Amino acid sequence: MNDGLAVTPSLLQPAHGPWPPQREQPSYFRDFLLDELESVLFGSQAGFGLERVFRSPLADTSAVEHRQSVARDLEREPLAQSFRTLFQWMEAMRARLDRSRRASHPWQRRLFHLQGADAYLRAVEELAADLAKHPPESVGLRRYGEYLEAYTRGPAFSQLRQDWQKAHSALVGLRYTFRVHEGRLALRAYEGEPDYGRLVVETFRPFFGPEPPTWKDPTPSHGPWLNHVEEWVLDHLALLFPEAFRLVEAFCDAHAEIADPALVQLEAEARFFLTYLEFVAPMRSAGLRFVYPEVAEEPPCFAEEAFDLVLGAKLLGEGGLPVGNGFRFDSARVLVVTGPNQGGKTTYARMIGQVHHLAALGLPVPGSAARLLLPDAILSHFEARENPEELKSKLEEDLLRLRDVLERATDRSLVVLNEPFASATLLDARLIGGFVLDEIQLKRALAVVVTFLDEFARLPGMRSMVAEVDPSDPARRTFRVRERPADGKAYALALAKKHGLTYDALLRRLGGGG
């Protein structure tokens, strides 16, 4: 129905292409809480396939930059409001066409179909006017504006508008009398009979006071079913005004399919961006920063003041704000994260994974500045609960998962390992961990490794990141992760002193000291 217009534009990629294919959630979604984020964002928007876009990160710089420019446009309130209005009209169109499909009476089906066309015409014409009034800057939205201008001037849309106007005007112009007498109904064309409604109002006007009452026009039921009286009325109106109803029937026959596929796709694509932008808007209003990352071909790569987006939304709902942290990959392509338990190490690793995934979707990411590589794969290994039905041991299962990660990793992959050696003994953890880190360095992958083994942070080529505690109170976590030498023993000693558990304190308490 595009009247031979130019190739359909796209907000998702520079050149029009097929919608991302259906796929399962990537394995890292659960580790990074992206499964929860997907559910929050798109759980109420079934039918648009938005989760397919969310599960398909890009590896092409031009496509990411194309999306970033679209998202920047949709941050402008006039354009955002234009698309919210589009969504409302398209939802009204679908609701009315759904009632049309479910209606049992032929004339009711046709009338609902006519109403659906009305919503579609409003959606298209209002969006076309808004894009002309507020010209977008992104290539994707500009091309859609050009497409809309050509489409609304084309013969297919013009015919749809003309046929709808004829049928609608004919129905609006109908005038008839409805008479109920002794259980019998009669319909006749209006021939100048007095309006009994007005006569009743005038008769009772002395009782109304200075302000006469008003009555809303009766609203027809939204359900698809009519009772036998309503069906009788519709059938007899069609007999009484055959020309008007012939125009309605002709419209439905000529325009069985109303919506242009390109504009249906535009709605879905715009929903993808606006759903995310509206999700992060309260966090921005609370002072949290978001940035469109610069796309890097090679390290250095970094982010500043980034945070876990899922945690940020949760904390904001509870009246708090997340702590921002940064990371950097350069000649040191492996970050080894150590520090006390509950100090934010897992959250830090999860944040790095989230930021890379969101950046590869062309969306703004949490942070004040960012320059990121587009990974060819995001690979993760987070500790999983032991399955009692699994015949393999926990260590064997962990080793198999690590082998899969190492086999798939390349010099353009992001590897995130969270306590991957926790199921091994200390000696085995040192041996396995050393081998894994050697393999990651050989692959030249970007990697984040959270571990309780401080010695890994001191290996050549590693960048040591430490989850800090309050120096004056080692029991209080700051949730700040800083680049510094690993000093887990210092934390342990400080805690032991705080709680009177040093060797000297215990010796005195047990009576063996001076």
Side-chain angles (χ1 to χ4, degrees):
M1 191 176 166
N2 68 1
D3 298 335
L5 300 174
V7 175
T8 304
S10 173
L11 302 185
L12 297 180
Q13 49 197 342
H16 175 70
W19 198 254
Q22 187 67 44
R23 60 177 296 193
E24 297 296 323
Q25 287 183 344
S27 57
Y28 60 83
F29 261 42
R30 183 177 179 182
D31 293 338
F32 301 155
L33 300 185
L34 289 168
D35 55 344
E36 292 185 22
L37 182 59
E38 178 187 298
S39 178
V40 170
L41 291 173
F42 310 121
S44 62
Q45 302 204 50
F48 293 102
L50 304 184
E51 70 283 349
R52 291 158 60 179
V53 183
F54 191 71
R55 297 174 187 178
S56 304
L58 302 169
D60 178 63
T61 299
S62 62
V64 168
E65 292 175 344
H66 178 85
R67 290 191 189 180
Q68 288 180 345
S69 64
V70 170
R72 286 190 179 94
D73 260 346
L74 293 176
E75 287 184 9
R76 296 162 54 194
E77 186 52 34
L79 281 175
Q81 185 54 49
S82 298
F83 278 94
R84 293 188 198 104
T85 301
L86 171 74
F87 301 161
Q88 292 170 356
W89 281 122
M90 295 296 278
E91 287 166 5
M93 177 198 74
R94 280 188 291 272
R96 295 170 186 181
L97 294 181
D98 179 65
R99 293 173 199 143
S100 175
R101 285 187 291 269
R102 294 187 294 126
S104 58
H105 191 276
W107 283 119
Q108 191 183 28
R109 282 199 300 271
R110 295 175 184 124
L111 292 173
F112 275 135
H113 192 82
L114 193 68
Q115 290 179 350
D118 178 32
Y120 175 71
L121 290 166
R122 290 172 183 263
V124 172
E125 291 173 339
E126 290 187 19
L127 181 62
D130 286 346
L131 291 182
K133 184 178 179 181
H134 306 287
E137 297 177 3
S138 64
V139 172
L141 280 171
R142 284 208 317 269
R143 286 176 177 169
Y144 262 117
E146 295 164 359
Y147 183 94
L148 270 170
E149 182 179 4
Y151 172 66
T152 53
R153 293 180 178 179
F157 186 82
S158 299
Q159 192 65 51
L160 176 69
R161 156 60 68 189
Q162 180 180 339
D163 293 349
W164 179 87
Q165 187 64 52
K166 287 180 180 178
H168 179 260
S169 298
L171 290 177
V172 169
L174 296 184
R175 294 291 183 270
Y176 57 91
T177 63
F178 188 69
R179 178 181 175 86
V180 183
H181 181 66
E182 295 182 354
R184 296 177 64 86
L185 304 177
L187 276 174
R188 292 188 176 86
Y190 177 67
E191 296 179 350
E193 294 89 346
D195 184 339
Y196 285 109
R198 293 183 180 277
L199 293 176
V200 170
V201 170
E202 291 303 322
T203 300
F204 287 91
R205 185 174 294 280
F207 303 99
F208 294 153
E211 294 294 330
T214 57
W215 291 273
K216 292 182 179 180
D217 291 334
T219 302
S221 170
H222 286 172
W225 315 121
L226 298 176
N227 61 41
H228 67 286
V229 176
E230 292 168 329
E231 290 183 351
W232 181 91
V233 170
L234 262 182
D235 288 335
H236 281 72
L237 283 174
L239 293 173
L240 192 61
F241 302 104
E243 179 57 25
F245 280 77
R246 185 195 65 77
L247 289 173
V248 173
E249 183 176 15
F251 175 87
C252 295
D253 290 344
H255 304 285
E257 298 295 329
I258 294 173
D260 181 74
L263 301 183
V264 173
Q265 177 175 302
L266 169 62
E267 180 199 5
E269 292 175 341
R271 281 181 181 273
F272 174 76
F273 289 98
L274 276 176
T275 298
Y276 179 82
L277 293 174
E278 290 174 353
F279 174 76
V280 304
M283 287 180 263
R284 277 178 157 162
S285 298
L288 296 173
R289 306 267 308 268
F290 284 79
V291 63
Y292 291 93
E294 176 189 350
V295 179
E297 293 298 326
E298 293 290 341
C301 308
F302 64 88
E304 299 174 2
E305 293 301 310
F307 58 90
D308 179 333
L309 190 56
V310 177
L311 178 62
K314 179 182 178 183
L315 290 176
L316 185 64
E318 297 172 351
L321 292 175
V323 173
N325 283 297
F327 61 87
R328 182 179 182 85
F329 298 104
D330 42 37
S331 58
R333 299 170 75 100
V334 182
L335 310 183
V336 178
V337 188
T338 59
N341 291 336
Q342 307 302 316
K345 302 189 300 294
T346 298
T347 300
Y348 180 78
R350 188 164 57 224
M351 171 270 288
I352 294 176
Q354 285 183 11
V355 164
H356 279 85
H357 178 80
L358 295 171
L361 295 177
L363 299 172
V365 305
S368 58
R371 183 178 191 268
L372 300 174
L373 190 75
L374 296 179
D376 61 1
I378 299 177
L379 307 168
S380 68
H381 180 295
F382 279 47
E383 187 175 8
R385 290 183 179 179
E386 191 165 3
N387 183 359
E389 298 181 0
E390 177 59 60
L391 298 180
K392 304 183 188 71
S393 69
K394 180 69 166 56
L395 177 57
E396 183 181 1
E397 180 66 25
D398 283 341
L399 291 175
L400 290 172
R401 291 172 60 200
L402 283 170
R403 184 183 68 180
D404 179 63
V405 168
L406 295 176
E407 287 178 346
R408 295 172 58 193
T410 73
D411 62 351
R412 296 193 64 83
S413 300
L414 174 70
V415 177
V416 183
L417 307 180
N418 182 46
E419 299 288 8
F421 324 118
S423 61
T425 64
L426 181 59
L427 179 59
D428 288 341
R430 285 171 171 161
L431 292 172
I432 297 168
F435 171 79
V436 168
L437 290 174
D438 285 344
E439 285 296 305
I440 289 174
Q441 286 193 299
L442 285 173
K443 296 271 190 161
R444 293 187 53 77
L446 304 183
V448 184
V449 182
V450 176
T451 178
F452 61 90
L453 295 170
D454 290 359
E455 61 201 71
F456 290 155
R458 293 187 285 274
L459 294 175
M462 305 294 157
R463 171 168 277 123
S464 175
M465 306 296 296
V466 178
E468 296 182 331
V469 296
D470 187 340
S472 62
D473 181 4
R476 191 179 77 83
R477 311 311 194 226
T478 67
F479 305 110
R480 290 283 184 186
V481 180
R482 304 290 194 190
E483 181 177 356
R484 55 179 291 183
D487 54 357
K489 292 180 180 179
Y491 286 136
L493 182 59
L495 284 172
K497 286 180 179 179
K498 174 180 174 65
H499 296 287
L501 296 174
T502 61
Y503 177 80
D504 290 341
L506 288 173
L507 199 61
R508 285 193 301 270
R509 197 177 309 160
L510 295 174

